[in-house]
Amino acid sequence: MIYSRIAGTGSFLPEKVYTNADLERMVDTTDEWITDRTGIKKRHIAGEGETTCDLAEHASRAAIEAAGLGVDDIDLIVFATTTPDQVFPSTACLLQKRLGIHGPAAFDIQAVCSGFIYAISIADKFIKTGSAKNALVIGAETLSRIVDWTDRETCILFGDGAGAVVLSASDKPGIISTHLHADGQYESLLNVPKGIVSDYEAVKQGEAFIHMKGREVFKVAVNTLGRIVDETLDAAGMTQADIDWLVPHQANVRIIGALGKKLSLPSERVVVTVQDHGNTSAASVPLALDTAVRDGRIQRGETLFLEAFGGGFTWGSALLIY
Ligand code: COA
C-alpha cells in the first residue's frame, strides 16, 4: 500500500501589515468590534507589484527544503488560489517556471477558502495511485486585490499570504482520508460577482470585489463543519479522543471555537493564527500548519484534523498522521 505523508511545510507572509488601528482610519470600525466578532488583530497585505506567485515561491522553497528535497524531485504541482496572477497560464505553471521545474503536471484549483483541502486531496490521490512521488501543494492568495477597502463588513476580515506542503509517497500512513463537498445553491452569500479582467467597468462600480452576507455565512459554516467532523471520524473509525490537533481554516475565532468544542479539544490543541493573518482563504490552513510545525507544537506521529469552508459554498476535511 502506498501512503502519502507530509514531508515538509513552508509559508510566507508579505511585509506590509494593516492593524485594526490602521483600519479604524480607513472605515467606520473599532479594534474592539473586530477583536470581539472575529479575533483578528492584524493582516498582511501584498506590496505593490507583489503577486500570489511571489508569495507562493517563498513558501514552496521553504517546504521543499524542509522535506530535504530539491526542486528536481517535485513531480506534481497543485496550486489552490482564488487570486491567480493572470487568467492564464495557471499560477501553478508560473510557479513551475520560477522554480525551474520542467515537465511534471501543474494546475490550479479554485475552491476559494477550501482550496488547500481540495488540492491536498487531489495530490493524495495522485500519490496513492502511483502517479506522483513528491507533490508540491500550495495555497496562496493576494485577497487584498479583491477586497473593497471602503466596505467595513468585509475589509476587516481578509489578508494575503502563502502556505505549502510537500506530500511524498511513503510506506507508513500519512493522509488517512479526505472529504470534499460543495453546494452551489449558496453562491449568492459569498462571491465576487464579476471578473476583474473581463469587465473593468465592474471594478469601477465596486462589483468585482468580495460581497458577503456575513451572518448567514457564519451559520451555514458552523453547521456544515460540525457535520464534516462526524463524517470524517466515522469514515476512519475514530473518535474525538484520537485527534491531537485541529488545524482549521482561519476565518473567525468563533467558528474555530465551535469546531474545537465539537471535537472536544482543549483550546491549546487548536491551532489559531487568525489574530495575526486574518482570513487568507486557500493559504490559511497551510499557513497555520506551518506555524505550528515550526514552533514545535505539532510533532511527528500526531493525528491532525484539517478543515476548511469557503465560497461556493465548498467545504472539506483531511485527517492525517503528521
Ligand atoms: N465595524 C463595526 N461595526 C460593524 C462592522 C465593522 N467592521 N461590520 C458590521 N458592523 C455592524 C453591522 O452594520 C451591524 O450593525 P446594526 O446592528 O446596526 O445593523 C452590527 O455590526 C452587527 O453586524 P452582524 O453582521 O450581525 O455581526 P456579526 O456578529 O454577524 O459579525 C461577521 C459579522 C462578518 C464578523 C460574522 O458574521 C462572520 O464572521 N461571518 C462569517 C464570515 C466568514 O467567515 N466569511 C468567510 C468564510 S470563508
Side-chain angles (χ1 to χ4, degrees), residues 282-305:
S284 114
V285 171
L287 252 168
L289 175 65
D290 185 53
T291 302
V293 165
R294 284 180 192 261
D295 68 20
R297 272 179 288 170
I298 293 179
Q299 296 289 321
R300 286 284 175 200
E302 290 184 318
T303 302
L304 316 187
F305 189 99

Side-chain angles (χ1 to χ4, degrees), residues 28-30 33 37-38 113 152-153 156-158 190 212 214-215 217-218 249 251-252 254-255 279 309-310:
D28 179 17
T29 192
T30 60
W33 192 96
R37 307 286 174 129
T38 71
C113 299
R152 71 174 183 172
E153 294 189 14
I156 54 144
L157 297 174
F158 299 101
L190 179 56
M212 186 180 71
R215 224 171 309 167
V217 175
F218 188 95
H249 173 47
N252 182 311
R254 292 185 291 148
I255 299 176
N279 181 347
F309 179 90

Side-chain angles (χ1 to χ4, degrees), residues 69-85:
L69 298 174
V71 289
D72 293 339
D73 297 309
I74 300 299
D75 55 7
L76 174 68
I77 299 177
V78 189
F79 196 131
T81 188
T82 311
T83 45
D85 287 22

Side-chain angles (χ1 to χ4, degrees), residues 34-194:
I34 301 171
T35 307
D36 281 358
R37 307 286 174 129
T38 71
I40 300 167
K41 298 299 273 182
K42 60 180 177 144
R43 64 289 291 146
H44 290 251
I45 304 292
E48 204 181 332
E50 196 171 30
T51 70
T52 296
C53 190
D54 292 329
L55 309 186
E57 183 182 355
H58 291 289
S60 299
R61 289 193 188 278
I64 293 167
E65 192 186 337
L69 298 174
V71 289
D72 293 339
D73 297 309
I74 300 299
D75 55 7
L76 174 68
I77 299 177
V78 189
F79 196 131
T81 188
T82 311
T83 45
D85 287 22
Q86 302 171 195
V87 173
F88 73 87
S90 66
T91 317
C93 286
L94 299 178
L95 177 67
Q96 192 187 42
K97 179 182 167 192
R98 293 277 187 91
L99 296 175
I101 299 171
H102 305 279
F107 54 91
D108 286 3
I109 294 296
Q110 216 286 41
V112 204
C113 299
S114 311
F116 180 77
I117 302 290
Y118 271 60
I120 205 171
S121 172
I122 292 163
D124 175 52
K125 286 165 178 56
F126 269 77
I127 288 175
K128 282 186 178 148
T129 54
S131 303
K133 283 198 167 57
N134 296 302
L136 177 61
V137 185
I138 307 115
E141 303 279 12
T142 43
L143 279 190
S144 60
R145 305 259 155 76
I146 55 168
V147 164
D148 176 357
W149 290 102
T150 65
D151 174 13
R152 71 174 183 172
E153 294 189 14
T154 53
C155 76
I156 54 144
L157 297 174
F158 299 101
D160 300 335
V165 303
V166 173
L167 213 55
S168 293
S170 168
D171 52 7
K172 292 198 196 81
I175 293 186
I176 298 165
S177 68
T178 58
H179 304 264
L180 304 181
H181 295 280
D183 190 343
Q185 74 163 315
Y186 294 109
E187 64 83 20
S188 62
L189 295 187
L190 179 56
N191 62 27
V192 177
K194 298 282 178 183

Side-chain angles (χ1 to χ4, degrees), residues 266-283:
S267 57
E268 60 273 18
R269 288 272 150 188
V270 180
V271 180
V272 183
T273 56
V274 70
Q275 69 283 0
D276 298 327
H277 306 159
N279 181 347
T280 57
S281 191

